[in-house]
Amino acid sequence: MKQNVIVIFAPTASGKTALTKELFSLSGSHFILNAEIISADSQAVYNGMDIGTAKPASDFCKLIPHHLINLVNPDQQFNVADFVDLADKACLEIASRGKTPVICGGTGFYIRNFLFGLPKTPESSPQVREMVSQKLKNEGKEALYAQLSIIDPQSAKKIHPNDQYRICRALEVFYSSGQTRSSFELNQNLRDLYNFLFIVLEPPKDLLKKRIYDRVDLMFQQGLEEEVKSLISSGYDQNCPGMKAIGYAEFFKYKNREEIISAIKSNSYKYAKKQFTYIRDIKGSKIIPFTASPQDIQKVAALIKESDLFNCQN
């Protein structure tokens, strides 16, 4: 039998915590499912990076168990293949307890690959990996991103200029096979392991921007600067994969506090808009304009209740 999975794409600061608390917590007024959350957040996997990634609070995780959070240290690489593999395992574990897995987060690249499966790209030889690694050391990621933009503009559009791992991986694919990374397309059909209900929460742009800006201000009130200092004192620097995340990388680029805050706000909003590019064209997705109001939460609850995939009982 196929396993039922709810997948919710929600950009940062869109109100997904309020939604999941209402829908999947016994204390929520719209409780409909006994569920556990699998985080689809590419930065929440890093230990010690709590404030800048807006991880769910420990008391919330007691209400609704969360998975794929705090998996690796900031100097370790974590990629989409790791996510899909661990998310699959988490789905099995959650279902074995008689609960419903809910993939929820804002990393559209992770969610798309979970829905369709990873494309079959060639493995890089040690020689190619070493060559690209040397190019990175000698020329820098900006130069490599510029090269990728010429070699494979389609992939470059989908990769953030600071995403060193994916830039190098795309170049490795080209140098290994002579074909661009974008030529190895995702499967056109959803994976047959699961019955999916895919929900996309789409806040109004002005509201999303305000919420992101307010969240950044709150992060600084909560001690983001101290968190970054603690990470640096532990030996993590700007070259560590985790420290390249928005909310952390800006501390290495700017010295003035106001410049750091402004850059984090701007980069966070740009990133939130970019994340929609991975999920907009997925057939069968249920797009809901979302402000996190009680009425909008009720709309999501009704959508799940009415789905043929789930027998949802209070």
Side-chain angles (χ1 to χ4, degrees):
M1 291 180 63
K2 291 185 179 181
Q3 187 177 345
N4 294 335
V5 178
I6 299 175
V7 181
I8 301 175
F9 169 82
T12 183
S14 61
K16 57 181 175 287
T17 298
L19 174 70
T20 52
K21 186 179 292 186
E22 286 295 297
L23 297 187
F24 309 129
S25 167
L26 285 169
S27 62
S29 58
H30 298 94
F31 175 73
I32 56 174
L33 278 180
N34 192 7
E36 295 186 19
I37 306 295
I38 300 171
S39 170
D41 185 327
S42 61
Q43 306 306 326
V45 299
Y46 290 109
N47 295 313
M49 295 171 53
D50 302 328
I51 298 173
T53 62
K55 287 178 187 171
S58 59
D59 59 344
F60 181 43
C61 291
K62 291 178 182 177
L63 289 174
I64 310 172
H66 282 61
H67 303 264
L68 274 59
I69 293 175
N70 296 329
L71 299 178
V72 297
N73 292 327
D75 59 349
Q76 296 174 277
Q77 189 69 57
F78 187 90
N79 59 45
V80 66
D82 298 320
F83 170 78
V84 173
D85 178 55
L86 293 174
D88 282 340
K89 292 176 181 176
C91 284
L92 285 174
E93 292 172 3
I94 293 167
S96 72
R97 292 190 284 273
K99 297 184 178 182
T100 299
V102 178
I103 309 282
C104 185
T107 303
F109 182 63
Y110 280 13
I111 287 176
R112 188 178 185 95
N113 279 274
F114 180 79
L115 291 169
F116 289 95
L118 296 164
K120 304 298 183 182
T121 53
E123 290 293 327
S124 302
S125 68
Q127 292 81 8
V128 169
R129 284 198 297 270
E130 178 60 24
M131 179 191 72
V132 174
S133 177
Q134 285 301 319
K135 286 174 69 70
L136 177 65
K137 291 178 182 178
N138 296 334
E139 302 174 33
K141 67 176 181 294
E142 293 80 8
L144 265 63
Y145 184 77
Q147 292 172 28
L148 181 63
S149 298
I150 296 172
I151 293 170
D152 187 1
Q154 283 184 279
S155 290
K157 286 180 181 179
K158 296 179 180 179
I159 298 175
H160 192 279
N162 289 333
D163 194 338
Q164 180 176 298
Y165 173 81
R166 292 180 61 209
I167 293 169
C168 290
R169 176 59 185 150
L171 289 173
E172 287 174 9
V173 169
F174 177 74
Y175 291 130
S176 296
S177 66
Q179 295 177 256
T180 62
R181 173 68 178 77
S182 58
S183 68
F184 295 90
E185 296 293 341
L186 276 170
N187 297 323
Q188 297 303 305
N189 299 313
L190 297 172
R191 290 199 293 165
D192 58 9
L193 289 173
Y194 303 105
N195 292 316
F196 291 111
L197 174 59
F198 180 37
I199 300 170
V200 176
L201 306 182
E202 192 163 25
K205 290 182 179 178
D206 289 346
L207 178 61
L208 180 61
K209 184 176 183 179
K210 181 181 185 304
R211 284 185 170 168
I212 288 173
Y213 281 27
D214 288 346
R215 172 172 282 185
V216 174
D217 288 335
L218 179 61
M219 287 175 176
F220 275 81
Q221 293 172 23
Q222 293 174 330
L224 179 58
E225 290 168 292
E226 289 70 26
E227 180 174 271
V228 173
K229 289 177 182 177
S230 176
L231 288 164
I232 293 173
S233 67
S234 297
Y236 302 117
D237 60 25
Q238 59 189 327
N239 297 313
C240 294
M243 300 298 277
K244 298 179 187 298
I246 296 170
Y248 298 88
E250 291 82 2
F251 282 88
F252 296 100
K253 188 173 182 179
Y254 303 98
K255 299 301 180 185
N256 180 277
R257 186 175 189 270
E258 293 306 315
E259 287 183 326
I260 294 171
I261 294 173
S262 177
I264 293 175
K265 288 179 177 179
S266 177
N267 292 338
S268 297
Y269 182 55
K270 289 177 183 176
Y271 178 73
K273 292 191 295 181
K274 183 180 177 66
Q275 286 305 88
F276 279 100
T277 62
Y278 293 103
I279 48 84
R280 279 204 177 99
D281 61 344
I282 296 178
K283 293 180 180 179
S285 61
K286 311 296 183 182
I287 301 175
I288 297 182
F290 191 74
T291 64
S293 68
Q295 294 80 7
D296 288 347
I297 291 174
Q298 180 59 49
K299 288 178 184 177
V300 180
L303 177 62
I304 296 173
K305 286 180 179 179
E306 293 165 5
S307 170
D308 292 335
L309 302 183
F310 300 95
N311 180 19
C312 305
Q313 308 228 346
N314 290 334

